[in-house]
Structure formats: structure tokens, C-alpha cells
Amino acid sequence: MQFKHPELLYALFLLIIPILIHLFQLRRFQKVAFTNVKFLKEVELQTRKSSQLKKFLILFTRLLLFTVIILAFAQPFIAASKTNSPTHTSIYLDNSFSMQAKGTEGQLLKRAVQDIIENTQQLEPINLYTNDNVYENLSAKELKNTLLEIDYYPIKTNLSAILFEIKNNIKKSKALHNIFLISDFQYYTNENKFEIDSLNSYYITQILPKQVSNLSVDSIYISDQNNETIQLTTLVKNYGNSKENISVSLYNNELLAGKSAVNLAKDASGNINFNIPNSGNFNGKLQLEDENLTFDNDLYFNIDRPEKINVTAIGSDNSFLSKIYTNDEFNFTSTTLNNLDYNTLNQQNLILLNELESISVALNSTLKTFANNGGSLVIIPSLNMNLNSYNAALASLKMGKVLGQVTSEIAVTTINFAHPLLKGVFEKQIKNFQYPNIKSHYRSNLTRASSIVDFEDGNSFISQTITNKGKIYWLAAPISSQNSNFKNSPLIVPIFYNFGLYSHNSSQLYYTIGNINTFEIPIQLSKDEVLHVANKKEDYIPLQQINPDKVTITTETNPIQSGFTTILHNNTSIKQIAYNYNRQEGNLNYVNVEDYFGNATNINYTSNVKEAFVNLSETTKVTSYWQWFLIAAILFLIIEILFLKFL
């Protein structure tokens, strides 16, 4: 026989007290004189014998009474299992978003919580593991209170990490454990098989939804834009049977900005396009209706339009550019190469090299960094350019090389109307256009270049090369009046205007909770100042790197709720960032747990939580006897009362 609280057995030593009280009576007897004691002596002898018997019987019953009461509080039990069976319990409960799916008895997580509460009354102490926390040495009551407060967590921890943490705690306790793993075991978090130990007992419960079906707003991106509109394309995924008229709504803050629908075949995806004005900020939310998994029904995004676009032209005659890049939309700076402040170039969106005779090594290095960081660069060669310095710059930018100068006159005759730079510029393709002429131009061999405007011989006059994050535009000829009439052409305004307009790279539309997210805030902070990130439920100081003209912020596990967060400086809002939950859990694809864990003898597989605990009770077969000891205590109490009354 074993005891749940063996420390209470020390109370048995207290039984010496009633023994001492009965054996050493401190009461003194007083003699009384009587005339005739012939008959009284006989009565006295009989009374003393019966009194001693009564005292010993009462002593015996009281000792038994106190003994069974102490044993009852120690809670005796008999376990039919072997002595090396696990005596501690560890439970991993998956509280990720995929556990929102509905089983036969409601949401998977809520049903699992109820079953754990009902079947762990005799298993304390218990260690509870979730995706976001660890609770150690819980009593049954503490476990119940903890489980009732558990909510869904957006980051699903890899199962191998959970098992590694369980094993570390087992080593600390130096006792074998019954380990319960309760999850739907989605495929993307359990791609690799995992070997478990042979000492502890594992009860693996895979709880699956009644219907494997889900709709998800997967992603959104800018598919097209011009100076008036932005086209957004959202990807909607269907996990399950085919569905028709899936309605998706677009909101700007709380105002409905658009609504569209799509039909999706089984396990298919489809695109929906929305057009929004290219003006001001847009705090967007996409929303669809789906009753299965709700966490991926909304997707938040944010589009910031800068107040003005920074443009710097480097050359001797930039007057025509100042008429294009006006103050209402651009911060235009004109400078010569000798007066150039290199420190300001990294703050520009667009840099134009206007017919420089050579590109210095210092400027070359600065332009390379500028383009790699996402800046836009326009290169207009000079009639007397230094070919070697230009080729060194093009090689540094990984664009190709200039082959040589051609002095014969040639016309510009072809416009690539489908090029992204010219989308929305022309209502229709123009055939009777007055094309400009070029007296001298340069032949080049550029890599990854897309043509915007061509010469009549088919070679490019204006081309675009995308390198890393930046855009580089190459003009094959000088456009000064002594070499070309291009400045008088209607083409120059829309082309150069769009150079500036598209030089602004829209910030990332949204970030994913659980990923390492990094973004920059253009602000100058003084010493000891920091930026805060806040939403409706959280306000925290993120990891941040402070530079002279910007702050780089890095987030990962925070925030834990999707929606808009605000970047605060001294309680003043300076920028909004959109965060969304990871969409991977929307794919209801599950592993075969028997293939994943194997068929070892210490593994027990079940399809519901209650069955797992029933299997544990059958293997341990613990029989409690404290109720019988309480009944025995009542019987001994009744016997003592009878002795006192009738003896």
C-alpha cells in the first residue's frame, strides 16, 4: 500500500498520548469508613475488575479511531503497476490558431481543455506546456485555473522544441513522466520525424476537425500604379471543396472602399483586384466571411505616400529639370559635381547624372550603395564623356558596358507603351507622333535591360535596369540642345516625371507576426530618446538601432495581435505599421502521427483527450482506500459510545 501524503503518518506517534492518559491516572481515591464491610468488599472487587476492562476497551477503540483517521488523511492507495512506472505528468497542449477548427464537440482547443480538467484530479503535480508558456508543478485546482485562461497564440512552436524542454524538466525532477501530447499535428510544423525516449510513457492525441475546410486571405501586393491610381491584387486560397461567390471587402480604416467576389475550385486559389486613389495614406483591411478558421479572414496593410519625393540633379545645366520636378510634389536640388554634398545622396529618392564628362571613384561608390538600397538613378551621358570612367561605373552597378560613340543622326521612333514606366501616360497608342532626332549617341551592351523608347534601328534610346532593390535608367545619348531636340518633345515630361514618381518605393505593405521584421523610421533622436510601438492592447519598446538620420526597428514575437500598430515618439504618432498572423496554419494538412513517432511500446495513440487519460488509468490501476478508513473511523466511534453507555 502507498500513500499520497505519507508525511502525515508521523502523526501516529501522537497515539502515545491517550495511552499515557489511560495508564497513569492522576485521580486520588478517598477512603470512607463504614460499619459493616462484609458485603461491600465483594462489590468493590467486582467493580474494580469491570472498570479496568472497560478502560482498556475504550483505550483500544480510541487508538483504532485515531489511527484510521490519520491513515484516511494520508490517502492510501494500491497501484497495480510496476514500481518504476512514471509518477509525474507533463502535458503539451497546442493552443495555436489551427485549434480553432471545429470537431464533433466544438472547437478543438476548448474541448481539449474541458477533457483535461475532468481527468487530471488524481495526477498532480502536473507540468503544462503551451506554445507561449510553461507552467510547472501545478495542482489540479491550479491546472484548472490556468487552462481556463489559455487563449490562442499566433506563433506555433516546433514540436521538437517542446519535447526538448520537457526532457530538460524531466532531468531536473529525476522522475519518470507520463507525457501527453495534444495537438492537431499540422504538417508544416512537424515535417521531420522525431525520435522519443523509451523510459517515459507517451500518450499522443491527435484531434482533428470534423470538416477539413478553410478560406484564407493569403496576401496582397501592388500590381500596378500610376500617378492617379494604385492597383492592389489580393490572393484568396481555398482549402477544401469548391466554393462560389466568395465575397471579399476592402476597407480604408472603417470605410468600405471596394467589394468583389471570386469562385474557387477545390484546393485552389484566385486573385481579386482593387483600384484605390494614389493620394494620401491608406490603412486597408481585407475581409471575407468563413466560419471555420477565423484568424486568417482579415488581412491588414498600410500604404504611406510621402509628403514630397527627394530628387537631386548633378550637372551644369539642370534648368529644364526644375520645371518638371516642381515644389508641390518634389524636393528638387540642382548641383554641380564640384559642389556636391555626398552626405545628402543617401536621403534622395532619385539622382540624375546630367551629362557629366566623367564619374569619379568616390561618386561611383556612393551611387552603388544608393542603388543597392533601393534608390533610382538616371544616367545621361555627355558628348565628351570619359568612356573608361563610365564603364567602371556601369560595371560596378552590374549593368554592362558602353561600346562606343556613333556620330550619325538617328530618329527616335518606337515607344514601348506596355512598359510599367509608361502605363497610364497614353490613352491609346499614337502613330503620328512627332519623334525627336539625335545627332550622336552611344552603342552599349546592357544586361537585364528593358527598353522604354527605341531608335529607328531597334536599339534602345532609354532603357531600365533593375539591380538589387534599385532602378537604373540609361539614356543612350545626350539630350542637350546641341545634340538633340528631345527637350522639346512631348515625351520628356511624362518620362522624367515618372522617373521621379516611381523612385519612391512604397514601404512594405504589412509584416508577419513571428517573423524577424526590420523597418526604418526617418527621424533624428537625441540622447536617451527611444521609439515606442503601441496598439490597443500593447505598448512596448522594440529593439532599435539609432543612426544619425534614422532609426532601424526590429520586431519578432511582438505584437501578438494582428492590426495596426503606431510608432510613437514622445507620445506623438509618426508612422503606422500593419501586422498580420502567419497564414501557414490556414492549410489544414496533417501528419500521420504513427509514422511520425513510430510504434514503440511506451507510446499510446488516441483520437480524443478523454480516451488518453482512461488508458493511463487502466495501466496504473490506482485504487484509493481513504473512504474505507473514514467508514472504519465512524464504526470505531460508535463502538466507543456503546462501551461508555453499556459497560
Side-chain angles (χ1 to χ4, degrees):
M1 182 176 289
Q2 297 172 286
F3 295 90
K4 190 173 184 179
H5 302 290
E7 65 276 5
L8 295 180
L9 296 178
Y10 288 107
L12 293 174
F13 290 110
L14 298 177
L15 295 178
I16 193 67
I17 296 175
I19 296 175
L20 294 175
I21 293 174
H22 280 74
L23 294 181
F24 301 99
Q25 294 284 350
L26 299 179
R27 178 180 176 184
R28 291 184 177 181
F29 294 93
Q30 186 177 3
K31 292 184 178 181
V32 179
F34 201 77
T35 56
N36 191 347
V37 295
K38 179 180 179 181
F39 299 104
L40 290 178
K41 287 183 178 180
E42 184 179 352
V43 173
E44 180 183 313
L45 182 61
Q46 293 178 353
T47 303
R48 286 181 178 177
K49 289 182 179 180
S50 62
S51 177
Q52 287 181 353
L53 177 61
K54 180 179 179 179
K55 289 179 181 179
F56 280 112
L57 289 175
I58 292 173
L59 173 61
F60 183 68
T61 54
R62 285 181 180 175
L63 290 176
L64 291 177
L65 172 63
F66 290 130
T67 301
V68 295
I69 289 175
I70 293 171
L71 293 176
F73 278 101
Q75 296 190 27
F77 66 91
I78 294 178
S81 58
K82 298 179 181 179
T83 56
N84 61 348
S85 295
T87 57
H88 290 62
T89 303
S90 293
I91 300 174
Y92 164 62
L93 177 60
D94 183 2
N95 62 328
S96 62
F97 281 134
S98 63
M99 296 288 283
Q100 290 179 350
K102 294 181 179 179
T104 55
E105 298 179 272
Q107 290 187 354
L108 300 181
L109 178 62
K110 293 181 178 179
R111 182 66 257 176
V113 165
Q114 194 63 34
D115 287 341
I116 294 173
I117 292 174
E118 293 175 357
N119 293 277
T120 52
Q121 301 298 320
Q122 307 296 328
L123 297 180
E124 54 191 28
I126 297 172
N127 292 342
L128 176 64
Y129 302 81
T130 63
N131 291 316
D132 57 322
N133 218 329
V134 177
Y135 309 89
E136 296 184 21
N137 298 321
L138 299 178
S139 65
K141 184 177 181 181
E142 291 171 335
L143 177 66
K144 178 181 178 180
N145 294 334
T146 303
L147 287 171
L148 292 177
E149 293 178 357
I150 284 179
D151 201 359
Y152 296 100
Y153 188 66
I155 304 172
K156 193 162 189 171
T157 307
N158 192 285
L159 185 59
S160 60
I162 295 290
L163 289 174
F164 181 78
E165 192 165 8
I166 291 175
K167 286 188 174 182
N168 281 341
N169 284 337
I170 290 176
K171 290 179 181 178
K172 294 178 184 178
S173 64
K174 298 180 180 179
L176 298 179
H177 281 232
N178 291 306
I179 301 173
F180 291 83
L181 304 179
I182 303 169
S183 173
D184 56 1
F185 295 100
Q186 276 194 301
Y187 181 78
Y188 89 94
T189 56
N190 305 285
E191 295 181 1
N192 301 317
K193 293 184 178 181
F194 189 84
E195 294 184 2
I196 61 178
D197 64 89
S198 58
L199 297 176
N200 299 284
S201 296
Y202 287 81
Y203 295 85
I204 299 173
T205 302
Q206 183 177 33
I207 46 180
L208 298 174
K210 184 178 180 181
Q211 183 179 3
V212 181
S213 178
N214 182 42
L215 290 173
S216 171
V217 183
D218 184 78
S219 58
I220 189 170
Y221 60 93
I222 297 176
S223 54
D224 193 15
Q225 67 175 334
N226 53 47
N227 58 339
E228 294 182 355
T229 62
I230 295 176
Q231 185 181 75
L232 300 171
T233 299
T234 179
L235 178 64
V236 181
K237 288 188 176 182
N238 175 32
Y239 303 102
N241 296 327
S242 60
K243 294 180 176 62
E244 296 182 353
N245 296 322
I246 301 171
S247 178
V248 179
S249 301
L250 173 65
Y251 293 88
N252 182 14
N253 292 317
E254 301 298 326
L255 298 177
L256 182 65
K259 196 168 187 177
S260 187
V262 64
N263 298 328
L264 294 179
K266 180 179 180 180
D267 298 327
S269 59
N271 292 328
I272 298 178
N273 295 326
F274 294 97
N275 291 318
I276 62 173
N278 189 5
S279 59
N281 296 335
F282 195 94
N283 296 327
K285 182 179 78 168
L286 292 164
Q287 187 177 66
L288 61 76
E289 296 294 331
D290 178 35
E291 61 180 8
N292 293 301
L293 295 183
T294 59
F295 80 95
D296 55 4
N297 292 350
D298 300 330
L299 189 141
Y300 299 86
F301 65 95
N302 176 265
I303 299 176
D304 286 332
R305 183 175 176 84
E307 294 181 1
K308 289 185 179 182
I309 299 173
N310 298 325
V311 178
T312 292
I314 306 172
S316 57
D317 183 13
N318 301 319
S319 57
F320 75 99
L321 294 173
S322 63
K323 298 177 182 178
I324 299 174
Y325 301 117
T326 56
N327 290 332
D328 56 338
E329 294 184 77
F330 302 93
N331 291 321
F332 178 71
T333 302
S334 175
T335 181
T336 62
L337 183 60
N338 293 332
N339 296 326
L340 177 62
D341 184 0
Y342 286 86
N343 293 326
T344 63
L345 293 184
N346 63 344
Q347 303 173 13
Q348 305 304 306
N349 301 109
L350 174 66
I351 296 176
L352 299 102
L353 305 183
N354 184 18
E355 301 189 23
L356 300 180
E357 291 188 1
S358 64
I359 301 176
S360 65
V361 175
L363 180 59
N364 181 8
S365 176
T366 303
L367 294 178
K368 178 182 178 181
T369 303
F370 172 76
N372 289 338
N373 290 335
S376 294
L377 176 65
V378 177
I379 303 176
I380 306 172
S382 169
L383 277 174
N384 302 314
M385 76 173 188
N386 184 319
L387 190 62
N388 291 331
S389 70
Y390 267 78
N391 278 333
L394 295 182
S396 176
L397 296 169
K398 299 180 180 180
M399 288 183 59
K401 61 185 297 187
V402 180
L403 300 177
Q405 188 176 26
V406 179
T407 56
S408 60
E409 186 172 338
I410 192 170
V412 176
T413 60
T414 305
I415 301 174
N416 183 5
F417 295 99
H419 196 279
L421 187 78
L422 300 180
K423 276 192 175 182
V425 173
F426 302 97
E427 294 183 0
K428 60 181 180 179
Q429 296 187 11
I430 302 173
K431 297 182 179 180
N432 58 347
F433 195 81
Q434 185 177 356
Y435 293 103
N437 293 320
I438 304 294
K439 295 180 181 179
S440 175
H441 66 282
Y442 292 94
R443 289 287 177 89
S444 59
N445 182 17
L446 303 181
T447 59
R448 307 185 310 278
S450 60
S451 180
I452 301 172
V453 179
D454 294 339
F455 293 119
E456 58 185 337
D457 63 358
N459 291 315
S460 291
F461 168 47
I462 303 176
S463 60
Q464 179 192 65
T465 299
I466 297 178
T467 172
N468 291 332
K469 299 178 181 179
K471 304 183 188 74
I472 303 175
Y473 302 95
W474 166 258
L475 276 69
I479 58 174
S480 58
S481 56
Q482 61 185 6
N483 186 62
S484 169
N485 60 351
F486 182 72
K487 289 183 180 179
N488 300 322
S489 167
L491 283 176
I492 189 171
V493 173
I495 288 178
F496 274 79
Y497 175 82
N498 283 351
F499 285 162
L501 180 65
Y502 294 146
S503 66
H504 168 63
N505 294 319
S506 298
S507 58
Q508 191 167 328
L509 297 184
Y510 61 89
Y511 297 89
T512 301
I513 297 172
N515 293 349
I516 298 177
N517 303 303
T518 302
F519 51 88
E520 296 177 347
I521 305 296
I523 188 174
Q524 293 181 346
L525 297 181
S526 60
K527 186 179 180 180
D528 298 330
E529 283 189 323
V530 293
L531 298 179
H532 285 245
V533 177
N535 56 24
K536 294 180 180 179
K537 293 186 177 182
E538 301 171 273
D539 186 345
Y540 61 95
I541 299 175
L543 178 65
Q544 50 195 281
Q545 182 180 358
I546 300 176
N547 300 302
D549 57 345
K550 63 184 178 181
V551 177
T552 303
I553 293 179
T554 302
T555 65
E556 185 174 4
T557 56
N558 285 318
I560 61 172
Q561 185 178 24
S562 65
F564 297 106
T565 62
T566 304
I567 310 299
L568 298 174
H569 175 232
N570 294 332
N571 295 324
T572 301
S573 174
I574 57 176
K575 187 178 179 62
Q576 280 199 316
I577 303 291
Y579 281 93
N580 290 293
Y581 300 127
N582 196 311
R583 263 42 188 173
Q584 286 181 302
E585 288 191 64
N587 185 3
L588 302 179
N589 187 15
Y590 308 101
V591 301
N592 185 315
V593 289
E594 295 191 25
D595 291 341
Y596 183 73
F597 290 101
N599 295 310
T601 56
N602 62 324
I603 301 178
N604 185 284
Y605 295 102
T606 61
S607 59
N608 65 76
V609 178
K610 184 177 181 180
E611 183 183 352
F613 286 101
V614 170
N615 290 347
L616 173 62
S617 64
E618 289 180 354
T619 56
T620 56
K621 292 182 180 180
V622 174
T623 306
S624 298
Y625 291 98
W626 64 269
Q627 302 95 329
W628 295 103
F629 281 93
L630 283 181
I631 295 173
I634 295 172
L635 290 177
F636 287 127
L637 181 61
I638 294 173
I639 292 172
E640 181 180 349
I641 294 172
L642 293 176
F643 283 161
L644 291 172
K645 187 173 182 180
F646 297 104
L647 289 182

